[in-house]
Amino acid sequence: NTRVGMIVESYGTGSQVRLPGKSAMEPQIFKFGTPYSEMYRSLAATPQDEAFFMHNGVLQLCKRGASVKLAPQRWQDTPSTAVQKHHVVIAFEERIYDAVIEDLQTREPTEDFKAIHVICLDTKDNPHEAKLQGRVALELCWILEQTDDLDLEAPELVDQFQEEQMTHTQIKVLYQICYL
C-alpha cells in the first residue's frame, strides 16, 4: 500500500487468523493464506450474519484487507530476505511486538546484517482505536522517514515522539533495534 508514499505491509504472528465472533469465546478462525474475499463470504453467509459482522466492523476489516492484498500473512513464515527489507516494524499490541522481536532474535543472521527498528504502539483491538493509532503510526513513520540516518537517529526520534505527541494518551511506546 503506497497511498501515503510509503510501502506498508501487514502481518499476523499467531498460529491462525482470529477475528471477533458473536462472543469473546467464539472468535471466527481462519488459516493464514485464506483470501479476505473468502473470509467475507463465510462471515456474510446468512443475512443475520452479514448484519452482525457489518455492525461489529469485521466485514469492513475484510474489505480493507482485500484492497491491500489477497490474504493475511504470518510474520514468522516470511523469509528473512523479505523481512530484511523492512526498516521499521510497528506492532499495535505488546504480545505481537514481543513475538516479532523473539522471531528476529531466533533467525539466522543474513549477510547484510541490517537494523530493523521494532516499535509498539499498544492499542485496544477495535476499529475505532485502530483508526486512531493508524494515524499516530503514520505520523511517527513520517518523522522517521525524514531522517538522514535512521539507525543513528531513530532511538532519539522515538523518545521525542513519545514525549511530544503521546501526552494525550496513556499508550507507552516500546522500541527495540534488532539486526538481521
Side-chain angles (χ1 to χ4, degrees):
N1 183 351
T2 56
R3 269 194 310 208
V4 293
M6 294 178 205
I7 298 168
V8 178
E9 294 182 354
S10 170
Y11 297 89
T13 57
S15 56
Q16 37 197 324
V17 178
R18 293 178 195 278
L19 299 175
K22 293 189 177 178
S23 77
M25 301 307 293
E26 299 176 281
Q28 296 293 306
I29 297 173
F30 298 93
K31 289 181 178 169
F32 277 101
T34 303
Y36 283 108
S37 59
E38 196 176 306
M39 290 181 192
Y40 188 102
R41 278 194 303 276
S42 171
L43 295 167
T46 70
Q48 295 88 347
D49 285 349
E50 185 174 22
F52 178 85
F53 290 112
M54 186 64 77
H55 177 73
N56 77 355
V58 173
L59 291 181
Q60 294 89 322
L61 185 135
C62 289
K63 275 186 181 176
R64 200 168 50 247
S67 74
V68 180
K69 60 184 177 179
L70 177 66
Q73 297 165 271
R74 186 170 182 264
W75 173 265
Q76 295 93 327
D77 297 338
T78 306
S80 291
T81 52
V83 167
Q84 192 186 41
K85 293 177 184 170
H86 298 84
H87 301 247
V88 175
V89 174
I90 297 180
F92 291 97
E93 289 182 52
E94 193 169 344
R95 67 178 180 79
I96 293 171
Y97 170 82
D98 292 341
V100 168
I101 289 171
E102 181 182 329
D103 175 70
L104 289 170
Q105 291 174 341
T106 57
R107 287 178 184 251
E108 281 295 313
T110 61
E111 277 183 39
D112 301 345
F113 202 64
K114 291 183 181 171
I116 298 175
H117 303 268
V118 185
I119 301 166
C120 180
L121 302 172
D122 202 26
T123 305
K124 283 192 181 115
D125 196 5
N126 67 52
H128 176 71
E129 286 295 316
K131 197 172 193 175
L132 291 175
Q133 285 309 101
R135 288 192 191 114
V136 171
L138 186 57
E139 218 173 293
L140 177 57
C141 287
W142 277 329
I143 290 167
L144 296 173
E145 185 81 9
Q146 303 308 312
T147 182
D148 293 325
D149 187 340
L150 182 65
D151 296 345
L152 187 66
E153 297 175 46
E156 189 176 321
L157 289 171
V158 171
D159 283 347
Q160 191 177 337
F161 180 80
Q162 179 163 5
E163 285 173 28
E164 293 172 10
Q165 307 290 326
M166 304 301 285
T167 52
H168 60 283
T169 179
Q170 295 300 308
I171 293 170
K172 173 133 178 63
V173 178
L174 303 175
Y175 171 75
Q176 185 166 331
I177 299 177
C178 295
Y179 292 87
L180 184 63

